[in-house]
Amino acid sequence: MPVGRDAGNAPASPEDLERLATTITSWAEGERAASDDVLAVDRLDDPTFGHRWFVRLRGDEKQVTTVWFHLRQRTLHFETQFMPRPEENREELFEMLLRLNARVQQMRFTIGWEEAIYLEGELPIARVDEGTLDQIIGAAYQYTEQWFRPCMRVGYRSKFRG
């Protein structure tokens, strides 16, 4: 894999992508074996979408958090569905999420095509290693545990009693 200052801009060779895919798979399987809080991991290879994985984590505030990884030619994209489409107080919730974006690292709050709220991020593949994958999973878990309940209280104020 290319290494150096401009490595994040160069497309990876198929061999480099396969090596990185093997690293991600090995890391994910290791996480599953090492922790009861990792409920499931899987690798999905698709000719159209390429290499994808998910890591499903047990949570407290949100029962399950699933982090998806998608290995692209130049980047590793990662995301988790943070909460469903808010039914009320959308402007208040969106303002809250925009303000939270200034406080989170490695990820950002976004609105998906179905108007659900996501946490997502992207890194150049040259920066991806097991330590970085640990940080991504940790950030997704931490932000979901920290902000899921307060955001649900805003987006579902009349229904959410938690």
Side-chain angles (χ1 to χ4, degrees):
M1 194 164 0
V3 178
R5 183 175 221 127
D6 297 324
N9 296 330
S13 70
E15 296 80 18
D16 288 338
L17 286 174
E18 198 53 50
R19 276 194 294 277
L20 186 52
T22 300
T23 297
I24 295 169
T25 299
S26 174
W27 166 82
E29 290 171 354
E31 291 297 302
R32 174 66 184 109
S35 174
D36 290 338
D37 291 328
V38 179
L39 301 173
V41 299
D42 203 359
R43 177 177 172 171
L44 310 161
D45 291 324
D46 182 281
T48 304
F49 297 109
H51 301 298
R52 296 186 308 153
W53 298 260
F54 71 80
V55 178
R56 188 163 291 140
L57 307 167
R58 178 188 338 270
D60 293 320
E61 297 299 318
K62 183 177 179 186
Q63 190 173 14
V64 174
T65 297
T66 302
V67 182
W68 284 90
F69 294 93
H70 181 191
L71 184 58
R72 298 175 175 164
Q73 193 173 27
R74 298 171 193 260
T75 61
L76 177 69
H77 176 86
F78 44 93
E79 68 181 37
T80 184
Q81 185 183 41
F82 177 74
M83 67 181 279
R85 178 186 181 273
E87 293 181 358
E88 47 192 311
N89 306 308
R90 290 168 55 90
E91 285 185 22
E92 180 183 349
L93 178 64
F94 293 162
E95 179 179 345
M96 179 181 180
L97 294 171
L98 283 172
R99 292 183 188 280
L100 287 174
N101 272 343
R103 296 170 59 182
V104 298
Q105 296 178 10
Q106 292 185 312
M107 303 184 93
R108 64 194 173 278
F109 289 99
T110 64
I111 302 170
W113 63 270
E114 76 288 13
E115 297 187 13
I117 307 301
Y118 287 81
L119 274 166
E120 64 180 90
E122 195 168 62
L123 288 174
I125 59 172
R127 291 188 41 211
V128 176
D129 59 21
E130 289 187 1
T132 304
L133 296 168
D134 286 340
Q135 290 173 358
I136 292 167
I137 288 289
Y141 179 82
Q142 175 189 344
Y143 299 142
T144 299
E145 287 294 299
Q146 184 175 5
W147 295 108
F148 176 73
R149 188 172 297 269
C151 289
M152 289 293 287
R153 284 187 188 126
V154 174
Y156 291 86
R157 187 167 285 146
S158 66
K159 297 176 183 173
F160 191 77
R161 303 284 183 229

